[in-house]
Amino acid sequence: MHRLSLIITLFLLWNQATMAQLSYEDVRYEAIPFRMVKTYLDSQREKAQVNCFADLRPTCENIEDFSAFYRYRRQYSFKQPIEQVWEAYRKANPTEAWTTKKSSCGLMYERESDRIIYPADSVDGIMNGQILYMDIKLIRGLYHLATAFEITKVEDELGIIEVNYTESGINEGKQIIQMFETENGRTRIVHTTFIRSGNKIRDKYLYPYFHTRLINSFHRKMKRMIARSES
């Protein structure tokens, strides 16, 4: 009898935990200012066949060999020391930092707190498990598309931020942002991207063209934010 009660209790606790997880039904679509992000959410739910955000997986979660991916690399220089640059990237509100002339954050989900963050909300820094839904502006805003990526690694000691595209999107891949201290005490950032979608023309020619402009815009914004903090 005691064993049966324990099993029932564990089942109820598991069921409550499952029910507590935020689902797509909990999204306030009226708080998302981007039509493509709303459409992407509906498409993601259908393609991934999940009901809860917590059930979404990053595309490169179990991949170690990236030889089948296209790789792109860009470098950025900052005059500030690495400690200052890392702190700025680490503590930046992700919904604000990733909103630039080329992209806007329409929604963010946090695994750790199981909560949804809207563009008007503020978050104190980045952490593992944050999934950002982005509206991407192409051809000077004449064309928009949506995508989603998850912050999967934040390593203070190595100065690494890693993001993975989420399942059910067009792209499969990840991006690694790593900081290095230069000989003159400044900071060099290496932004490496691994990508594949099954479309050679898209992956080899279209993606790097637009992706480079997106990450250039992001790092330029971070550079401006750091400069403003010094004034």
Side-chain angles (χ1 to χ4, degrees):
M1 187 68 179
H2 175 71
R3 185 176 181 181
L4 179 61
S5 297
L6 178 61
I7 293 174
I8 293 174
T9 300
L10 290 174
F11 173 78
L12 290 174
L13 289 173
W14 174 84
N15 189 55
Q16 290 175 358
T18 302
M19 293 296 292
Q21 291 178 340
L22 285 175
S23 72
Y24 289 83
E25 302 294 338
D26 297 307
V27 176
R28 292 189 290 109
Y29 278 75
E30 69 277 6
I32 303 174
F34 308 107
R35 179 179 62 85
M36 293 302 296
V37 172
K38 300 175 186 179
T39 302
Y40 184 90
L41 283 165
D42 292 335
S43 174
Q44 183 182 58
R45 179 183 186 179
E46 180 180 348
K47 290 181 179 178
Q49 297 184 341
V50 295
N51 291 317
C52 300
F53 287 98
D55 293 332
L56 289 171
R57 307 313 311 169
T59 57
C60 297
E61 186 176 26
N62 299 312
I63 297 178
E64 295 182 1
D65 181 8
F66 287 88
S67 59
F69 288 70
Y70 287 90
R71 186 182 73 170
Y72 303 104
R73 179 172 291 174
R74 298 283 295 178
Q75 297 191 34
Y76 304 89
S77 297
F78 288 70
K79 65 179 183 179
Q80 294 83 1
I82 190 170
E83 294 82 9
Q84 183 179 351
V85 177
W86 175 255
E87 182 179 23
Y89 275 70
R90 184 74 167 82
K91 294 185 177 180
N93 175 10
T95 60
E96 178 185 358
W98 286 93
T99 295
T100 70
K101 291 182 179 180
K102 303 294 184 181
S103 63
S104 299
C105 182
L107 182 77
M108 186 173 79
Y109 171 75
E110 279 190 350
R111 290 188 186 275
E112 184 174 309
S113 59
D114 190 35
R115 64 170 177 155
I116 295 172
I117 294 97
Y118 297 93
D121 301 330
S122 180
V123 179
D124 186 19
I126 62 172
M127 66 174 68
N128 292 346
Q130 290 174 331
I131 302 177
L132 284 79
Y133 290 83
M134 305 297 300
D135 177 79
I136 309 299
K137 306 174 183 67
L138 305 177
I139 316 176
R140 297 185 178 183
L142 294 176
Y143 181 71
H144 290 243
L145 62 83
T147 188
F149 62 81
E150 178 175 348
I151 298 174
T152 52
K153 182 183 293 185
V154 180
E155 292 192 2
D156 294 302
E157 293 183 1
L158 298 177
I160 292 178
I161 300 169
E162 182 176 295
V163 304
N164 272 248
Y165 289 107
T166 58
E167 60 183 342
S168 78
I170 296 175
N171 299 319
E172 181 182 8
K174 70 176 182 178
Q175 302 177 39
I176 303 170
I177 300 171
Q178 186 166 13
M179 299 184 186
F180 300 90
E181 183 178 8
T182 64
E183 293 180 355
N184 57 4
R186 299 188 175 191
T187 304
R188 176 169 57 93
I189 292 180
V190 178
H191 192 136
T192 306
T193 301
F194 297 93
I195 184 71
R196 68 181 178 188
S197 69
N199 185 318
K200 183 177 180 179
I201 294 177
R202 184 183 188 280
D203 293 350
K204 190 173 182 178
Y205 301 105
L206 296 179
Y207 181 89
Y209 176 83
F210 292 109
H211 177 67
T212 297
R213 282 151 181 77
L214 288 171
I215 63 175
N216 283 351
S217 187
F218 166 66
H219 290 293
R220 279 198 299 265
K221 180 169 185 178
M222 292 305 302
K223 187 172 289 189
R224 290 195 299 269
M225 290 173 63
I226 294 172
R228 285 199 300 267
S229 69
E230 295 178 323
S231 59

